[in-house]
Amino acid sequence: MSSANFTSEQITKMDQIIARYPRSRSAVMPLLHYVQSIFGYVTDEGIEFIGKKLDLATAEVNAVASFYTQYKRKPVGEYHIGICTNTLCAVMGGDAIYSALKDQIGSEHDGVSADGKVSLEHIECNAACDYAPVMMVNWEFYDNQTVESAKEFVEKARTGNPPAPTRGPKKLRTWKENSEVLAGFSDGLANEGISAGKASLLGLSKMKNSGNN
Amino acid sequence: MSKLVSVLTSNWEKSDSFTISGYQRDGGYKALEKALKMKPDEVIQLVKDSGLRGRGGAGFPTGNKWGFIPQGDNKEHYLVVNADESEPGTCKDTPLLMANPHVLIEGIIIASYAIRANHAFIYIRGEIVHVVRRVQQAIEDAYKTKLLGKNILGSGFDLELTLHAGAGAYICGEETALLDSLEGFRGQPRLRPPFPAIAGLYAKPTVVNNVESIASVPAIIDNGVAWFTSMGTEKSKGFTLYSLSGHVKNPGQIEAPLGITLRELLEIAGGIRAGHKLKFWTPGGSSTPIFTDQHLDIPLDYEGVAAAGSMLGTKALQIFDETTCIVRAVLRWTEFYKHESCGKCTPCREGTWWLVQALADLEAGRGSEADLDKLLDLCDNIAGRSFCALADGAAAPIISSLKYFRAEYLQHLQNGGCPFDPVAATLFQGSLT
């Protein structure tokens, strides 16, 4: 395996990831996120190259990659949609939303639409239960969804105009771009978006309204 | 509402609450200056005296955890913050990090100084990119203003802080699985002892704390022990974030002293959604045994909830009204535990699959009453028989739901299927046909 498939800039970034840790093996996870940012998924050549970089067997890197659901071993859509179908979101409407999108996209769990634009999975609780039902796209929050709002997202995403996240940057980034953030590289968008949604402020605003500050 | 407080949430309404300038304008990093003038052991003692207990579920006293780190041992020490929030129902650390990442960083520097760690890590959930961005930026800004790195505020104390994004595994919220994951392995729990305080990250003395625990430290340093202990109950001191979700009029985060009741919290949330009534709820996430409308006045502190047969956990109150089928709810949680079981321990790996099959049959109206006892028998063979608490969590909703709603399970058998209309439980029931 040569490094011919990675540019010198990419290899520099991988070295930067490794340098963050006292022991190089800790870099496996961010390196896998980084490989996803290049290819859109964890490729065989990515796994081999990480192994070479960290002096690990391919099987050892593979064992890590296959453990975590965020690492995909085949391409996903440009917009990867996750619908929470853990109990609370499912009951509040997540099951209905997931089922509607499955029909709309024409694919099952982890499947991609024929045009390659969108893919769908059902996800576990994503720590936004006070905004249920929750949809994640490229791991950005789309709070308080309905069947209609989720279907509208898919339609617009297919034409290249996805609506913006509810608590996130002004414009939705692609799957690959967000994977690079997860690998630890800033995209400079942290200051975009709100500090807190309405539900996050429930107690605080009650307290202020009652003049008990 | 005389019961409410705003410490962790105090600046969340401000549009720049997450920036370093916004945080410093409101007094941020003042507690750090104060702490760095104290001796590390004095900081540990102060946190011990405050009675602060872990806000990630277990409720272990934070100061004691810090005190377990052997000092003068000539080894590296590490602080690892567990920001892998994923217990179903739990949604407090996420808004906290989105609105105010600097309070966590300030707490990290103070805690690292106290335990004498020169490298700290935040293990953050990988499934919320905007929260990762906010923390990333906060760390970058803290380095730029010399709050991280060498000789912090001229104290001679050095600290590196590394942000590490997870990749979708509930089990990594378990502290030893988290450490394995951070070391670059599959996230699987370790046998204890040795505890992380003796052999944690890279087999070195390590403190693992939840986000909210660490984020509570600057206010305690700032305002003192007497202030903190004036809130809460006898053994559960201070304030915390309660997360209300589900069939309530206004779901959301409520910061209050420990010991508030669900009745009081529901009043703040505007009650159960119009025209419906409370059926069951989780006090601290799906791994804590469910409660019903008999438990509205239980004080929500560590002791009060335990005395009533459950756990305070992460204070994640998922509220379900009478339109919700208990069997469907429990089956879905069980599918979650099955999916998230790491596979290391046989009782959990195999047992959670059996539980799903048995529950799926019951939901579809197949089986017999004897299957309910079989479920309990399975739970008995899973809970307490694995390395970590995931298996206990899987058993909790089943055992507790059979305690309160056995008749509803049987109704599925009599009915030949689920007697509930799932549409009635959705928030948009009027618009679906």
Side-chain angles (χ1 to χ4, degrees):
Chain A
M1 174 81 212
S2 75
S3 57
N5 296 313
F6 294 91
T7 66
S8 61
E9 190 206 353
Q10 287 165 345
I11 292 169
T12 304
K13 281 191 156 175
M14 293 194 210
D15 290 333
Q16 285 169 1
I17 291 172
I18 296 166
R20 291 177 202 149
Y21 298 93
R23 298 194 188 176
S24 63
R25 180 161 182 150
S26 286
V28 171
M29 291 179 70
L31 286 173
L32 286 165
H33 281 305
Y34 188 62
V35 164
Q36 290 211 134
S37 80
I38 298 170
F39 303 104
Y41 67 107
V42 175
T43 56
D44 288 346
E45 63 178 335
I47 284 183
E48 278 176 44
F49 194 69
I50 291 171
K52 202 175 139 195
K53 273 272 179 216
L54 302 180
D55 200 19
L56 296 172
T58 304
E60 289 177 289
V61 182
N62 227 326
V64 175
S66 62
F67 186 82
Y68 300 91
T69 50
Q70 263 184 294
Y71 300 132
K72 304 298 181 193
R73 291 306 311 276
K74 55 183 190 192
V76 296
E78 193 175 332
Y79 303 106
H80 183 64
I81 301 170
I83 305 295
C84 177
T85 56
N86 198 298
T87 299
L88 190 121
C89 273
V91 165
M92 310 282 284
D95 275 358
I97 295 170
Y98 180 71
S99 152
L101 292 203
K102 216 167 61 175
D103 292 344
Q104 189 185 13
I105 294 171
S107 81
E108 292 288 333
H109 180 72
D110 258 357
V112 189
S113 63
D115 59 8
K117 281 278 183 195
V118 287
S119 48
L120 177 68
E121 70 172 314
H122 54 80
I123 58 172
E124 298 300 354
C125 181
N126 222 86
C129 316
D130 43 352
Y131 296 94
V134 172
M135 173 169 88
M136 304 300 293
V137 184
N138 297 343
W139 304 114
E140 304 283 3
F141 279 131
Y142 287 78
D143 300 325
N144 303 114
Q145 290 298 299
T146 62
V147 169
E148 291 73 27
S149 65
K151 283 170 82 169
E152 189 189 334
F153 176 89
V154 172
E155 273 169 37
K156 291 189 170 168
R158 280 179 153 167
T159 59
N161 294 304
T166 40
R167 288 177 290 154
K170 284 181 209 153
K171 189 176 179 305
L172 176 63
R173 308 271 286 168
T174 65
W175 169 263
K176 287 182 185 177
E177 286 166 340
N178 274 359
S179 296
E180 194 167 345
V181 175
L182 296 178
F185 297 106
S186 167
D187 59 8
L189 302 179
N191 290 345
E192 291 191 5
I194 54 178
S195 298
K198 184 172 165 249
S200 308
L201 299 172
L202 173 66
L204 185 66
S205 42
K206 280 277 170 191
M207 192 175 149
K208 292 203 163 160
N209 289 342
S210 62
N212 176 36
N213 197 359
Chain B
M1 271 302 141
S2 62
K3 275 240 172 183
L4 298 181
V5 295
S6 73
V7 181
L8 294 170
T9 53
S10 63
N11 65 347
W12 290 11
E13 275 183 322
K14 296 181 183 163
S15 61
D16 64 348
S17 65
F18 50 84
T19 64
I20 192 161
S21 52
Y23 184 60
Q24 285 182 317
R25 182 191 58 226
D26 292 336
Y29 289 108
K30 286 275 186 277
L32 175 63
E33 283 177 32
K34 202 167 160 184
L36 290 176
K37 285 179 189 141
M38 296 164 70
K39 293 197 175 83
D41 284 337
E42 290 171 353
V43 177
I44 296 180
Q45 192 57 47
L46 191 147
V47 175
K48 273 185 190 170
D49 292 344
S50 77
L52 173 67
R53 294 170 68 173
R55 303 293 194 234
F60 193 83
T62 304
N64 292 17
K65 226 181 200 183
W66 296 6
F68 289 153
I69 298 293
Q71 295 301 340
D73 57 353
N74 240 348
K75 288 181 182 169
E76 292 94 3
H77 300 165
Y78 295 110
L79 173 72
V80 178
V81 173
N82 184 346
D84 194 37
E85 179 166 69
S86 29
E87 168 73 14
T90 310
C91 47
K92 64 188 180 71
D93 297 337
T94 294
L96 191 157
L97 291 174
M98 192 175 278
N100 191 1
H102 282 286
V103 73
L104 177 69
I105 295 176
E106 184 173 14
I108 287 172
I109 307 168
I110 295 169
S112 300
Y113 172 72
I115 65 164
R116 279 141 279 191
N118 298 113
H119 200 152
F121 296 83
I122 303 172
Y123 189 105
I124 195 163
R125 188 162 179 185
E127 289 150 308
I128 308 169
V129 176
H130 206 53
V131 170
V132 174
R133 274 191 200 99
R134 289 264 161 96
V135 179
Q136 227 166 37
Q137 184 71 49
I139 293 174
E140 202 182 305
D141 291 342
Y143 268 108
K144 274 189 205 151
T145 47
K146 313 280 184 209
L147 290 159
L148 286 170
K150 298 278 177 209
N151 192 21
I152 294 168
L153 298 177
S155 64
F157 176 63
D158 305 336
L159 182 68
E160 298 299 325
L161 176 57
T162 301
L163 182 66
H164 182 95
Y170 167 68
I171 191 60
C172 292
E174 196 282 335
E175 64 175 13
T176 62
L178 183 153
L179 293 173
D180 259 32
S181 179
L182 185 51
E183 289 184 7
F185 295 88
R186 295 162 78 88
Q188 296 192 313
R190 301 172 178 176
L191 193 60
R192 286 165 294 184
F195 288 92
I198 304 302
L201 185 65
Y202 310 127
K204 298 288 166 52
T206 302
V207 166
V208 185
N209 278 146
N210 168 260
V211 167
E212 189 190 340
S213 314
I214 291 287
S216 300
V217 169
I220 295 172
I221 300 279
D222 240 350
N223 301 298
V225 167
W227 167 79
F228 190 73
T229 56
S230 72
M231 291 174 270
T233 55
E234 194 193 339
K235 289 180 179 165
S236 302
K237 298 296 183 193
F239 49 84
T240 194
L241 289 167
Y242 291 93
S243 310
L244 259 78
S245 60
H247 290 133
V248 294
K249 192 172 174 213
N250 302 308
Q253 305 301 314
I254 300 170
E255 189 175 8
L258 280 151
I260 197 168
T261 66
L262 180 63
R263 190 183 299 280
E264 292 167 311
L265 289 170
L266 276 175
E267 200 182 307
I268 297 160
I272 302 292
R273 65 174 176 158
H276 295 276
K277 59 180 198 298
L278 174 63
K279 180 173 176 182
F280 64 96
W281 54 292
T282 65
S286 63
S287 303
T288 60
I290 60 164
F291 278 160
T292 67
D293 58 358
Q294 307 160 32
H295 303 95
L296 278 164
D297 297 307
I298 302 273
L300 296 173
D301 61 9
Y302 297 98
E303 292 70 35
V305 180
S310 188
M311 288 177 291
L312 185 64
T314 54
K315 305 141 294 136
L317 300 105
Q318 305 174 88
I319 314 287
F320 298 93
D321 69 20
E322 84 291 346
T323 61
T324 313
C325 170
I326 189 74
V327 182
R328 177 183 176 210
V330 172
L331 168 59
R332 196 57 63 89
W333 278 322
T334 309
E335 285 173 333
F336 164 76
Y337 291 107
K338 170 193 148 189
H339 180 245
E340 300 297 340
S341 172
C342 78
K344 185 166 185 162
C345 309
T346 309
C348 174
R349 182 186 64 239
E350 303 300 324
T352 51
W353 286 67
W354 277 67
L355 291 173
V356 165
Q357 291 181 48
L359 281 164
D361 274 353
L362 285 166
E363 192 196 27
R366 292 189 297 264
S368 71
E369 191 171 354
D371 291 333
L372 302 187
D373 297 326
K374 183 174 282 172
L375 268 180
L376 290 173
D377 185 46
L378 281 167
C379 287
D380 191 40
N381 279 293
I382 295 168
R385 296 178 198 272
S386 301
F387 275 33
C388 82
L390 187 141
D392 307 359
I398 297 174
I399 297 172
S400 56
S401 65
L402 279 166
K403 180 173 159 192
Y404 300 116
F405 298 103
R406 192 180 172 96
E408 196 170 308
Y409 278 86
L410 293 175
Q411 218 184 327
H412 283 69
L413 296 176
Q414 290 146 9
N415 196 53
C418 182
F420 288 84
D421 172 12
V423 172
T426 65
L427 282 188
F428 38 78
Q429 81 275 17
S431 66
L432 284 180
T433 47

